[in-house]
mmCIF file of all heavy atoms in Angstrom:
data_model
loop_
_atom_site.group_PDB
_atom_site.id
_atom_site.type_symbol
_atom_site.label_atom_id
_atom_site.label_comp_id
_atom_site.label_asym_id
_atom_site.label_seq_id
_atom_site.Cartn_x
_atom_site.Cartn_y
_atom_site.Cartn_z
ATOM 1 N N SER A 1 0.751 -1.181 -0.015
ATOM 2 C CA SER A 1 -0.063 0.032 0.035
ATOM 3 C C SER A 1 0.761 1.266 0.047
ATOM 4 O O SER A 1 0.345 2.331 -0.212
ATOM 5 C CB SER A 1 -0.940 0.014 1.225
ATOM 6 O OG SER A 1 -1.790 -1.009 1.135
ATOM 7 N N ARG A 2 2.151 1.224 0.310
ATOM 8 C CA ARG A 2 2.958 2.398 0.235
ATOM 9 C C ARG A 2 3.086 2.980 -1.168
ATOM 10 O O ARG A 2 3.294 4.161 -1.273
ATOM 11 C CB ARG A 2 4.469 2.051 0.734
ATOM 12 C CG ARG A 2 4.549 1.454 2.137
ATOM 13 C CD ARG A 2 5.908 0.926 2.504
ATOM 14 N NE ARG A 2 5.963 0.372 3.764
ATOM 15 C CZ ARG A 2 7.105 -0.393 4.176
ATOM 16 N NH1 ARG A 2 8.196 -0.460 3.428
ATOM 17 N NH2 ARG A 2 7.030 -0.922 5.374
ATOM 18 N N LEU A 3 2.734 2.132 -2.179
ATOM 19 C CA LEU A 3 2.758 2.748 -3.589
ATOM 20 C C LEU A 3 1.802 3.824 -3.760
ATOM 21 O O LEU A 3 1.991 4.625 -4.553
ATOM 22 C CB LEU A 3 2.606 1.554 -4.475
ATOM 23 C CG LEU A 3 2.300 1.846 -6.006
ATOM 24 C CD1 LEU A 3 3.474 2.377 -6.580
ATOM 25 C CD2 LEU A 3 1.709 0.603 -6.636
ATOM 26 N N LEU A 4 0.678 3.777 -2.922
ATOM 27 C CA LEU A 4 -0.377 4.643 -3.181
ATOM 28 C C LEU A 4 0.007 6.234 -2.886
ATOM 29 O O LEU A 4 -0.696 7.036 -3.438
ATOM 30 C CB LEU A 4 -1.709 4.272 -2.308
ATOM 31 C CG LEU A 4 -2.041 2.888 -2.574
ATOM 32 C CD1 LEU A 4 -3.358 2.599 -1.680
ATOM 33 C CD2 LEU A 4 -2.481 2.710 -4.026
ATOM 34 N N VAL A 5 0.973 6.455 -2.203
ATOM 35 C CA VAL A 5 1.400 7.763 -1.930
ATOM 36 C C VAL A 5 2.501 8.296 -2.772
ATOM 37 O O VAL A 5 3.183 9.213 -2.432
ATOM 38 C CB VAL A 5 1.761 7.877 -0.418
ATOM 39 C CG1 VAL A 5 0.652 7.666 0.566
ATOM 40 C CG2 VAL A 5 2.906 6.950 -0.066
ATOM 41 N N THR A 6 2.807 7.594 -3.902
ATOM 42 C CA THR A 6 3.783 7.970 -4.878
ATOM 43 C C THR A 6 3.203 8.305 -6.106
ATOM 44 O O THR A 6 1.906 8.115 -6.331
ATOM 45 C CB THR A 6 4.794 6.737 -5.024
ATOM 46 O OG1 THR A 6 4.086 5.754 -5.769
ATOM 47 C CG2 THR A 6 5.213 6.151 -3.857
ATOM 48 N N PRO A 7 3.920 8.930 -7.103
ATOM 49 C CA PRO A 7 3.379 9.255 -8.344
ATOM 50 C C PRO A 7 2.803 8.037 -9.161
ATOM 51 O O PRO A 7 1.828 8.151 -9.782
ATOM 52 C CB PRO A 7 4.629 9.913 -9.159
ATOM 53 C CG PRO A 7 5.459 10.403 -8.072
ATOM 54 C CD PRO A 7 5.269 9.499 -6.785
ATOM 55 N N TRP A 8 3.403 6.891 -8.860
ATOM 56 C CA TRP A 8 2.869 5.584 -9.462
ATOM 57 C C TRP A 8 1.458 5.449 -8.937
ATOM 58 O O TRP A 8 0.555 4.901 -9.787
ATOM 59 C CB TRP A 8 3.824 4.486 -9.233
ATOM 60 C CG TRP A 8 4.870 4.232 -10.170
ATOM 61 C CD1 TRP A 8 6.119 4.532 -10.057
ATOM 62 C CD2 TRP A 8 4.674 3.525 -11.453
ATOM 63 N NE1 TRP A 8 6.918 4.348 -11.206
ATOM 64 C CE2 TRP A 8 5.978 3.749 -11.987
ATOM 65 C CE3 TRP A 8 3.778 3.043 -12.105
ATOM 66 C CZ2 TRP A 8 6.364 3.165 -13.223
ATOM 67 C CZ3 TRP A 8 3.990 2.523 -13.380
ATOM 68 C CH2 TRP A 8 5.286 2.622 -14.019
ATOM 69 N N GLY A 9 1.186 5.718 -7.648
ATOM 70 C CA GLY A 9 -0.159 5.603 -7.155
ATOM 71 C C GLY A 9 -1.135 6.460 -7.777
ATOM 72 O O GLY A 9 -2.252 6.017 -8.136
ATOM 73 N N ALA A 10 -0.796 7.677 -8.223
ATOM 74 C CA ALA A 10 -1.690 8.567 -8.762
ATOM 75 C C ALA A 10 -1.947 8.054 -10.207
ATOM 76 O O ALA A 10 -3.083 8.081 -10.780
ATOM 77 C CB ALA A 10 -1.079 10.002 -8.922
ATOM 78 N N GLY A 11 -0.895 7.501 -10.911
ATOM 79 C CA GLY A 11 -1.110 7.017 -12.244
ATOM 80 C C GLY A 11 -1.990 5.791 -12.346
ATOM 81 O O GLY A 11 -3.009 5.661 -13.023
ATOM 82 N N LEU A 12 -1.834 4.886 -11.248
ATOM 83 C CA LEU A 12 -2.783 3.642 -11.072
ATOM 84 C C LEU A 12 -4.182 4.219 -10.774
ATOM 85 O O LEU A 12 -5.124 3.573 -11.122
ATOM 86 C CB LEU A 12 -2.226 2.737 -10.085
ATOM 87 C CG LEU A 12 -1.048 2.095 -10.377
ATOM 88 C CD1 LEU A 12 -0.619 1.069 -9.299
ATOM 89 C CD2 LEU A 12 -1.098 1.290 -11.659
ATOM 90 N N LEU A 13 -4.456 5.303 -9.947
ATOM 91 C CA LEU A 13 -5.700 5.806 -9.676
ATOM 92 C C LEU A 13 -6.447 6.169 -10.965
ATOM 93 O O LEU A 13 -7.576 6.003 -11.294
ATOM 94 C CB LEU A 13 -5.635 6.932 -8.735
ATOM 95 C CG LEU A 13 -6.958 7.624 -8.273
ATOM 96 C CD1 LEU A 13 -7.950 6.590 -7.803
ATOM 97 C CD2 LEU A 13 -6.813 8.774 -7.386
ATOM 98 N N LEU A 14 -5.651 7.014 -11.931
ATOM 99 C CA LEU A 14 -6.265 7.360 -13.150
ATOM 100 C C LEU A 14 -6.563 6.180 -14.058
ATOM 101 O O LEU A 14 -7.640 6.158 -14.710
ATOM 102 C CB LEU A 14 -5.239 8.283 -13.933
ATOM 103 C CG LEU A 14 -5.049 9.642 -13.425
ATOM 104 C CD1 LEU A 14 -3.881 10.315 -14.258
ATOM 105 C CD2 LEU A 14 -6.247 10.319 -13.473
ATOM 106 N N LEU A 15 -5.672 5.107 -14.113
ATOM 107 C CA LEU A 15 -6.006 3.981 -14.687
ATOM 108 C C LEU A 15 -7.257 3.305 -14.159
ATOM 109 O O LEU A 15 -8.231 2.785 -14.967
ATOM 110 C CB LEU A 15 -4.871 2.925 -14.606
ATOM 111 C CG LEU A 15 -5.015 1.469 -15.146
ATOM 112 C CD1 LEU A 15 -5.202 1.555 -16.781
ATOM 113 C CD2 LEU A 15 -4.004 0.608 -14.864
ATOM 114 N N THR A 16 -7.445 3.188 -12.864
ATOM 115 C CA THR A 16 -8.521 2.655 -12.294
ATOM 116 C C THR A 16 -9.820 3.364 -12.574
ATOM 117 O O THR A 16 -10.966 2.723 -12.871
ATOM 118 C CB THR A 16 -8.394 2.518 -10.675
ATOM 119 O OG1 THR A 16 -7.180 1.792 -10.412
ATOM 120 C CG2 THR A 16 -9.472 1.862 -10.081
ATOM 121 N N CYS A 17 -9.833 4.707 -12.674
ATOM 122 C CA CYS A 17 -10.925 5.519 -13.200
ATOM 123 C C CYS A 17 -11.311 5.062 -14.588
ATOM 124 O O CYS A 17 -12.462 4.974 -14.978
ATOM 125 C CB CYS A 17 -10.563 7.025 -13.051
ATOM 126 S SG CYS A 17 -10.508 7.670 -11.452
ATOM 127 N N GLY A 18 -10.325 4.889 -15.409
ATOM 128 C CA GLY A 18 -10.590 4.373 -16.791
ATOM 129 C C GLY A 18 -11.211 3.137 -16.906
ATOM 130 O O GLY A 18 -12.108 2.894 -17.659
ATOM 131 N N VAL A 19 -10.693 2.148 -15.933
ATOM 132 C CA VAL A 19 -11.447 0.914 -15.910
ATOM 133 C C VAL A 19 -12.904 0.996 -15.515
ATOM 134 O O VAL A 19 -13.786 0.224 -16.133
ATOM 135 C CB VAL A 19 -10.520 -0.139 -14.919
ATOM 136 C CG1 VAL A 19 -11.402 -1.297 -14.666
ATOM 137 C CG2 VAL A 19 -9.299 -0.329 -15.490
ATOM 138 N N TRP A 20 -13.222 1.734 -14.511
ATOM 139 C CA TRP A 20 -14.562 1.835 -14.223
ATOM 140 C C TRP A 20 -15.432 2.553 -15.134
ATOM 141 O O TRP A 20 -16.537 2.356 -15.413
ATOM 142 C CB TRP A 20 -14.688 2.643 -12.754
ATOM 143 C CG TRP A 20 -14.415 1.746 -11.589
ATOM 144 C CD1 TRP A 20 -13.152 1.619 -10.972
ATOM 145 C CD2 TRP A 20 -15.323 0.804 -11.133
ATOM 146 N NE1 TRP A 20 -13.323 0.684 -9.902
ATOM 147 C CE2 TRP A 20 -14.557 0.133 -10.025
ATOM 148 C CE3 TRP A 20 -16.527 0.380 -11.314
ATOM 149 C CZ2 TRP A 20 -15.134 -0.856 -9.331
ATOM 150 C CZ3 TRP A 20 -17.129 -0.591 -10.603
ATOM 151 C CH2 TRP A 20 -16.420 -1.146 -9.488
ATOM 152 N N ILE A 21 -14.853 3.614 -15.887
ATOM 153 C CA ILE A 21 -15.534 4.093 -16.984
ATOM 154 C C ILE A 21 -15.864 3.056 -18.047
ATOM 155 O O ILE A 21 -17.163 3.038 -18.513
ATOM 156 C CB ILE A 21 -14.647 5.183 -17.612
ATOM 157 C CG1 ILE A 21 -14.792 6.513 -16.687
ATOM 158 C CG2 ILE A 21 -15.351 5.702 -18.959
ATOM 159 C CD1 ILE A 21 -13.733 7.566 -17.058
ATOM 160 N N ALA A 22 -15.000 2.224 -18.255
ATOM 161 C CA ALA A 22 -15.087 1.125 -19.332
ATOM 162 C C ALA A 22 -16.238 0.116 -18.878
ATOM 163 O O ALA A 22 -16.892 -0.519 -19.636
ATOM 164 C CB ALA A 22 -13.908 0.388 -19.530
ATOM 165 N N GLU A 23 -16.226 0.064 -17.499
ATOM 166 C CA GLU A 23 -17.357 -0.871 -16.926
ATOM 167 C C GLU A 23 -18.762 -0.524 -17.232
ATOM 168 O O GLU A 23 -19.608 -1.146 -17.675
ATOM 169 C CB GLU A 23 -17.259 -0.927 -15.376
ATOM 170 C CG GLU A 23 -16.008 -1.614 -14.812
ATOM 171 C CD GLU A 23 -15.993 -3.210 -14.895
ATOM 172 O OE1 GLU A 23 -17.017 -3.718 -15.302
ATOM 173 O OE2 GLU A 23 -14.965 -3.719 -14.636
ATOM 174 N N GLY A 24 -18.958 0.887 -17.168
ATOM 175 C CA GLY A 24 -20.239 1.420 -17.562
ATOM 176 C C GLY A 24 -20.437 1.330 -18.950
ATOM 177 O O GLY A 24 -21.573 1.021 -19.406
ATOM 178 N N LEU A 25 -19.473 1.495 -19.791
ATOM 179 C CA LEU A 25 -19.514 1.480 -21.341
ATOM 180 C C LEU A 25 -19.908 -0.058 -21.788
ATOM 181 O O LEU A 25 -20.679 -0.204 -22.620
ATOM 182 C CB LEU A 25 -18.383 1.821 -21.991
ATOM 183 C CG LEU A 25 -18.036 3.360 -21.955
ATOM 184 C CD1 LEU A 25 -16.612 3.636 -22.576
ATOM 185 C CD2 LEU A 25 -19.053 4.114 -22.598
ATOM 186 N N THR A 26 -19.360 -0.967 -20.978
ATOM 187 C CA THR A 26 -19.602 -2.423 -21.245
ATOM 188 C C THR A 26 -21.126 -2.642 -21.112
ATOM 189 O O THR A 26 -21.756 -3.195 -22.012
ATOM 190 C CB THR A 26 -18.978 -3.362 -20.218
ATOM 191 O OG1 THR A 26 -17.505 -3.155 -20.456
ATOM 192 C CG2 THR A 26 -19.283 -4.847 -20.652
ATOM 193 N N LEU A 27 -21.834 -2.239 -20.042
ATOM 194 C CA LEU A 27 -23.161 -2.433 -19.859
ATOM 195 C C LEU A 27 -24.004 -1.552 -20.927
ATOM 196 O O LEU A 27 -25.050 -1.946 -21.448
ATOM 197 C CB LEU A 27 -23.616 -1.993 -18.457
ATOM 198 C CG LEU A 27 -25.109 -2.177 -18.111
ATOM 199 C CD1 LEU A 27 -25.365 -3.678 -18.396
ATOM 200 C CD2 LEU A 27 -25.324 -1.869 -16.612
ATOM 201 N N THR A 28 -23.497 -0.342 -21.254
ATOM 202 C CA THR A 28 -24.213 0.397 -22.294
ATOM 203 C C THR A 28 -24.218 -0.373 -23.612
ATOM 204 O O THR A 28 -25.173 -0.246 -24.315
ATOM 205 C CB THR A 28 -23.455 1.846 -22.420
ATOM 206 O OG1 THR A 28 -23.518 2.485 -21.185
ATOM 207 C CG2 THR A 28 -24.211 2.672 -23.419
ATOM 208 N N LEU A 29 -23.154 -0.834 -24.041
ATOM 209 C CA LEU A 29 -23.011 -1.739 -25.320
ATOM 210 C C LEU A 29 -24.014 -2.828 -25.280
ATOM 211 O O LEU A 29 -24.664 -3.069 -26.255
ATOM 212 C CB LEU A 29 -21.542 -2.107 -25.527
ATOM 213 C CG LEU A 29 -20.549 -1.200 -25.854
ATOM 214 C CD1 LEU A 29 -19.150 -1.853 -25.841
ATOM 215 C CD2 LEU A 29 -20.815 -0.644 -27.381
ATOM 216 N N ILE A 30 -24.038 -3.514 -24.140
ATOM 217 C CA ILE A 30 -25.038 -4.560 -24.062
ATOM 218 C C ILE A 30 -26.462 -4.118 -24.174
ATOM 219 O O ILE A 30 -27.272 -4.631 -24.975
ATOM 220 C CB ILE A 30 -24.888 -5.350 -22.742
ATOM 221 C CG1 ILE A 30 -23.391 -5.928 -22.549
ATOM 222 C CG2 ILE A 30 -25.988 -6.366 -22.416
ATOM 223 C CD1 ILE A 30 -23.154 -6.564 -21.139
ATOM 224 N N ALA A 31 -26.808 -3.033 -23.687
ATOM 225 C CA ALA A 31 -28.179 -2.465 -23.705
ATOM 226 C C ALA A 31 -28.348 -2.114 -25.256
ATOM 227 O O ALA A 31 -29.474 -2.291 -25.658
ATOM 228 C CB ALA A 31 -28.372 -1.285 -22.824
ATOM 229 N N ASP A 32 -27.416 -1.473 -25.850
ATOM 230 C CA ASP A 32 -27.536 -1.024 -27.219
ATOM 231 C C ASP A 32 -27.845 -2.236 -28.063
ATOM 232 O O ASP A 32 -28.561 -2.246 -29.010
ATOM 233 C CB ASP A 32 -26.304 -0.219 -27.680
ATOM 234 C CG ASP A 32 -26.290 1.203 -27.121
ATOM 235 O OD1 ASP A 32 -27.286 1.588 -26.606
ATOM 236 O OD2 ASP A 32 -25.266 1.755 -27.100
ATOM 237 N N ALA A 33 -27.164 -3.280 -27.763
ATOM 238 C CA ALA A 33 -27.293 -4.576 -28.710
ATOM 239 C C ALA A 33 -28.792 -5.064 -28.614
ATOM 240 O O ALA A 33 -29.179 -5.739 -29.538
ATOM 241 C CB ALA A 33 -26.339 -5.626 -28.140
ATOM 242 N N LEU A 34 -29.347 -4.723 -27.407
ATOM 243 C CA LEU A 34 -30.786 -5.249 -27.343
ATOM 244 C C LEU A 34 -31.789 -4.177 -27.596
ATOM 245 O O LEU A 34 -32.904 -4.296 -27.270
ATOM 246 C CB LEU A 34 -30.943 -5.755 -26.005
ATOM 247 C CG LEU A 34 -30.018 -6.950 -25.463
ATOM 248 C CD1 LEU A 34 -30.045 -7.133 -24.035
ATOM 249 C CD2 LEU A 34 -30.476 -8.255 -26.049
#
């Protein structure tokens, strides 16, 4: 957990935000398909 207070931690937080944005897009694509 020490990584979280480094610049790498900030970068991983941005990556994690991108992953959660993609989670919502995944469900949106499924709904559009139907």
Side-chain angles (χ1 to χ4, degrees):
S1 298
R2 298 174 184 172
L3 170 67
L4 300 181
V5 295
T6 70
W8 273 99
L12 290 182
L13 179 59
L14 291 176
L15 174 66
T16 305
C17 288
V19 169
W20 280 101
I21 290 171
E23 294 282 355
L25 289 175
T26 298
L27 185 56
T28 301
L29 287 172
I30 294 170
D32 288 344
L34 297 167

